[in-house]
Amino acid sequence: MKAIYPGSFDPITNGHIDIINRSKDIFDELIIGITTNVQKKHLFTIDERKKMIEEIFKDEKKIKVKTFDGLLTSFCEEEKTNYVIRGLRAVSDYEYELQMAMANKSLNKNLETIFLVASHKFNFLSSSIVKEIAYYHGDISALVPKNVEIKLKNKYERG
Ligand code: PNS
């Protein structure tokens, strides 16, 4: 079975990677679907975000990295899957995630959103937190892979 793990991944963090690694043990094929979240202002271009993720999973045969425009339900249709994975951290994620899952279900009644609970050590982690720490030149080496750490440092050094 195939599933899509969608997100803006601006940038990917160790929390996302944990969800990806656990999902790939459940499904035969996992598509990481990168898109523009119209409710957020992104730091990295979609191509930069895709390249960073491709570097991390280059040796993983079960994982494919793709970008999409438009609705997630349309992307699921294109990819011929009804399974969407999302990670849940604190209760504060729940309202937004529930709203999205229900909106997607209303667009495609066969679509199932599967929530994986974030591992304890990544419970506080988000792309926004990582960007903020990096902006103030704090240590993000335990929060993101090396290639992402370098890209973030470059972004904020150049200003
Ligand atoms: O990582 P994010 O930013 O929390 O991911 C949110 C994302 C990209 C999964 C969501 O915004 C999305 O599915 N966007 C595609 C447009 C869409 O289908 N919107 C309707 C569902 S709310």
Side-chain angles (χ1 to χ4, degrees), residues 7-8 35-42 49 86 96 100:
S8 42
T35 192
T36 301
N37 184 336
V38 289
Q39 302 191 40
K40 293 178 180 170
K41 194 174 172 291
H42 295 309
R49 286 180 268 147
R86 293 286 289 172
Y96 168 59
M100 271 204 302

Side-chain angles (χ1 to χ4, degrees), residues 137-156:
H137 306 293
D139 181 8
I140 51 166
S141 59
L143 311 180
V144 292
K146 196 76 203 168
N147 66 332
V148 175
E149 184 186 352
I150 292 167
K151 285 268 161 35
L152 270 168
K153 278 186 177 160
N154 288 344
K155 265 285 176 217
Y156 288 125

Side-chain angles (χ1 to χ4, degrees), residues 40-125:
K40 293 178 180 170
K41 194 174 172 291
H42 295 309
L43 176 67
F44 292 101
T45 66
I46 198 155
D47 290 336
E48 286 174 317
R49 286 180 268 147
K50 181 168 187 254
K51 194 157 173 268
M52 282 186 270
I53 300 174
E54 280 171 341
E55 283 166 6
I56 297 161
F57 295 107
K58 63 179 187 314
D59 298 324
E60 291 282 0
K61 296 202 166 33
K62 286 169 89 175
I63 297 175
K64 289 199 178 83
V65 187
K66 299 192 178 182
T67 60
F68 70 98
D69 279 328
L71 290 174
L72 175 59
T73 47
S74 309
F75 183 55
C76 288
E77 218 171 288
E78 252 169 62
E79 290 294 328
K80 299 185 173 48
T81 178
N82 282 324
Y83 301 112
V84 168
I85 311 242
R86 293 286 289 172
L88 267 187
R89 291 163 302 186
V91 178
S92 50
D93 279 346
Y94 183 72
E95 213 172 292
Y96 168 59
E97 293 298 336
L98 183 72
Q99 196 179 23
M100 271 204 302
M102 287 170 85
N104 287 330
K105 189 95 180 159
S106 77
L107 294 167
N108 173 2
K109 68 175 175 20
N110 296 318
L111 195 133
E112 297 294 352
T113 304
I114 297 158
F115 292 108
L116 293 190
V117 174
S119 299
H120 178 67
K121 60 180 175 171
F122 300 125
N123 223 282
F124 71 98
L125 193 51

